[in-house]
Amino acid sequence: MIKTGKTGTILKTAGIFLFISVLLLCVPLTVPRAMGWQIYAAIDFNYGPEVSEGSLIYVEPYVGEDTAVGDMVTYYSAEGGGVALRLVQENRYEDGEIDVTDGLGNSETVVYAQVMGRVVVIIPWLGVLMSAVATRPGAAGIGGAFILGLVFLILGEKRKKAVDEEVMEVKQNENRNENEKK
């Protein structure tokens, strides 16, 4: 009886699915960095409709002089000791400062040297995923999915090859039987 090879097909399909999943997860976290952008996750605030908690924020590095009113910028906040995200209200070129405001309307002045870059892309909820992947268990999960995908592809190919060999053997036996009858 000839086997159909469904197991090999299922394993290969699962392997391809895992590979594509890992790629789709890694592309938004790696390609922008290759372009020189910084990547941040909005983890502890809500900046209104533009940026909600859990968003992934791509920041293009640039200098404070290039800011325009309405730009969303990131800067190093000495007060909070981390990266802050604010909307530019005014650029005071002569003083080398910009006035920024947060989502609640609180204003402050930032010197150009503190400005890290301008926000270019915001993807809601992807920051949650980035935060999870950035942990050791998350990285181990991604690595495990990659390895499991590779194992499934190899096993699927071996299974398919074994079925193909069996089919070839059956056909050879059928041809041999036909030739013997003649």
Side-chain angles (χ1 to χ4, degrees):
M1 182 166 131
I2 299 175
K3 297 177 183 175
T4 61
K6 285 184 181 181
T7 305
T9 303
I10 290 169
L11 286 171
K12 285 178 68 173
T13 303
I16 290 168
F17 174 77
L18 284 171
F19 272 127
I20 290 172
S21 298
V22 168
L23 283 175
L24 289 176
L25 181 65
C26 291
V27 165
L29 303 178
T30 56
V31 172
R33 286 189 179 154
M35 296 171 27
W37 292 359
Q38 300 160 346
I39 303 173
Y40 299 100
I43 56 172
D44 62 352
F45 62 88
N46 188 332
Y47 196 80
E50 295 91 10
V51 181
S52 59
E53 188 172 341
S55 294
L56 190 65
I57 303 167
Y58 296 104
V59 178
E60 175 183 45
Y62 78 130
V63 292
E65 297 91 19
D66 296 335
T67 59
V69 173
D71 281 351
M72 197 172 290
V73 296
T74 56
Y75 64 93
Y76 181 76
S77 171
E79 180 181 304
V83 176
L85 176 71
R86 300 290 185 263
L87 193 63
V88 175
Q89 296 300 313
E90 182 182 0
N91 190 343
R92 297 195 313 258
Y93 298 101
E94 63 280 353
D95 299 330
E97 300 174 334
I98 56 174
D99 291 329
V100 295
T101 185
D102 65 13
L104 301 174
N106 301 319
S107 297
E108 68 180 289
T109 299
V110 178
V111 296
Y112 287 163
Q114 288 176 275
V115 176
M116 299 169 70
R118 178 175 54 95
V119 175
V120 289
V121 177
I122 300 168
I123 303 174
W125 300 109
L126 197 56
V128 174
L129 188 60
M130 184 189 102
S131 296
V133 170
T135 64
R136 283 186 188 211
I142 294 297
F146 181 82
I147 291 169
L148 189 60
L150 183 61
V151 167
F152 282 175
L153 281 172
I154 291 169
L155 290 176
E157 190 58 36
K158 282 186 175 185
R159 181 71 179 143
K160 183 181 180 302
K161 186 177 179 183
V163 169
D164 289 347
E165 287 174 357
E166 186 177 338
V167 167
M168 181 93 86
E169 185 179 323
V170 168
K171 285 183 180 181
Q172 286 174 348
N173 286 338
E174 287 175 355
N175 286 341
R176 200 175 303 127
N177 289 340
E178 281 182 27
N179 287 337
E180 287 175 2
K181 289 181 182 177
K182 290 181 183 180

